[in-house]
Amino acid sequence: MTSHTDDFTVPPAPAGTPAVGAPPITPADVADASRLVSFGLQPKLLPARDAEYGELVRRYRDDPAFVRLTDAVATGLGLIVLEVSPRAGMAVAAAEDSVFAVRLGDYSRRAASESTDRFLHGLAHLAVAALAFPRPEDLADDGYLGRITVNGVDTFVRQVCRRMEEQADAEGANTDPVSDTPGLEAAWRVYLRRSATGATKDARRLSGSTIGIVGKATAFLVDSGFLQKTSDDSGGTFRTTARYQLQVRDLAGSAAMAELLALGVVPVSDGSATLLPPDPTEELVADAGLPFHSS
């Protein structure tokens, strides 16, 4: 009599079934994973400031099953886990279709009513990122803290716009657009024509001035946990956070950054000097506080 024991195949376990010997996933585990994701959605909170947050970060780093569960919860919410560490906490980025996504266009529409102003807000955010991490090694170094000032960002953009104007002059392309179609103006022309401060009667800067626009951008980044304000010097002085470094790293490889770089505003660095010293003939904003790197 022939035995068919050797032909018997154990059917595969249903998807999601824990591995043999692994403890089953409990409602408490799901609650902990969801709690960790919720901490990650509080951008100003760090594990060092909350005992429960710190413990969940430690569990994530030590428990592979908890990693898979937490990542699944994040994925279900349309979030991408960038890093989970004591320095950054649970840093997440929202996918384009996530309910948590804050698109630059949405932000600029809230911050400005004119379409030209919306573009200037996007320009300010790009300049902040470029000045905060001007060299590739700065972006790659976990211990690096970028420092920017509001006046420095405005000065940087104005310097680049002047160079673009010079290039347009050299190419014979520097002609004025039709006055009633401001949307056709070149980006550099819009920025250079806008007042840097436009102070009001009580000496406050106008929100529509270029420094006012940069100030709104930095305020948004502070609220998002990407920058920390260190002083009021130079229109506002800020340092970067680990969360912002991770976000800029993620953005650096995206189509959005490629599109912004195509505007010719930020030079792509090979690790050598990124920012040129200012032209002494240019009129710069007082106390710009612009950082320059020689290597």
Side-chain angles (χ1 to χ4, degrees), residues 18-26 29 65:
V20 176
I25 295 173
T26 68
D29 294 327

Side-chain angles (χ1 to χ4, degrees), residues 13-268:
T17 301
V20 176
I25 295 173
T26 68
D29 294 327
V30 177
D32 284 347
S34 302
R35 182 69 171 155
L36 179 55
V37 173
S38 74
F39 280 129
L41 292 171
Q42 301 176 59
K44 293 185 179 181
L45 184 62
L46 293 175
R49 300 176 184 172
D50 189 287
E52 182 185 5
Y53 192 5
E55 181 57 38
L56 289 173
V57 167
R58 283 190 290 273
R59 182 178 177 187
Y60 184 96
R61 292 167 68 83
D62 297 337
D63 185 347
F66 187 64
V67 170
R68 293 191 294 271
L69 179 60
T70 305
D71 287 355
V73 171
T75 299
L77 293 172
L79 299 171
I80 302 166
V81 179
L82 301 178
E83 178 177 302
V84 180
S85 67
R87 78 179 188 111
M90 183 166 194
V92 296
E96 291 185 4
D97 58 349
S98 172
V99 68
F100 298 104
V102 179
R103 294 175 176 80
L104 188 57
D106 296 335
Y107 157 77
S108 63
R109 277 190 290 274
R110 292 197 300 268
S113 58
E114 298 294 331
S115 59
T116 50
D117 281 9
R118 294 172 191 169
F119 178 85
L120 297 183
H121 278 275
L123 197 60
H125 276 274
L126 177 60
V128 169
L131 285 178
F133 305 102
R135 304 172 301 180
E137 56 264 38
D138 299 334
L139 196 57
D141 181 3
D142 287 347
Y144 180 83
L145 286 178
R147 290 176 174 81
I148 61 101
T149 70
V150 168
N151 290 353
V153 171
D154 182 66
T155 298
F156 170 60
V157 178
R158 286 184 177 275
Q159 288 178 341
V160 174
C161 287
R162 288 190 180 99
R163 291 188 177 92
M164 294 176 69
E165 182 179 32
E166 292 169 0
Q167 181 179 355
D169 282 335
E171 296 174 352
N174 193 0
T175 56
D176 286 336
V178 179
S179 59
D180 60 351
T181 56
L184 298 179
E185 286 191 317
W188 55 263
R189 193 176 286 126
V190 176
Y191 205 96
L192 287 178
R193 287 183 175 177
R194 185 66 58 89
S195 169
T197 56
T200 60
K201 293 180 180 179
D202 58 358
R204 289 179 295 120
R205 64 192 181 201
L206 291 174
S207 61
S209 67
T210 56
I211 287 182
I213 287 171
V214 175
K216 283 185 179 180
T218 54
F220 172 81
L221 293 171
V222 168
D223 290 341
S224 301
F226 295 148
L227 295 179
Q228 293 177 343
K229 189 172 184 178
T230 58
S231 77
D232 291 323
D233 296 340
S234 301
T237 301
F238 304 84
R239 66 172 176 234
T240 60
T241 65
R243 184 178 290 259
Y244 188 47
Q245 186 180 50
L246 292 169
Q247 290 282 348
V248 176
R249 281 180 191 169
D250 185 59
L251 179 63
S254 71
M257 178 61 88
E259 182 177 351
L260 289 172
L261 289 175
L263 295 172
V265 176
V266 180
V268 179

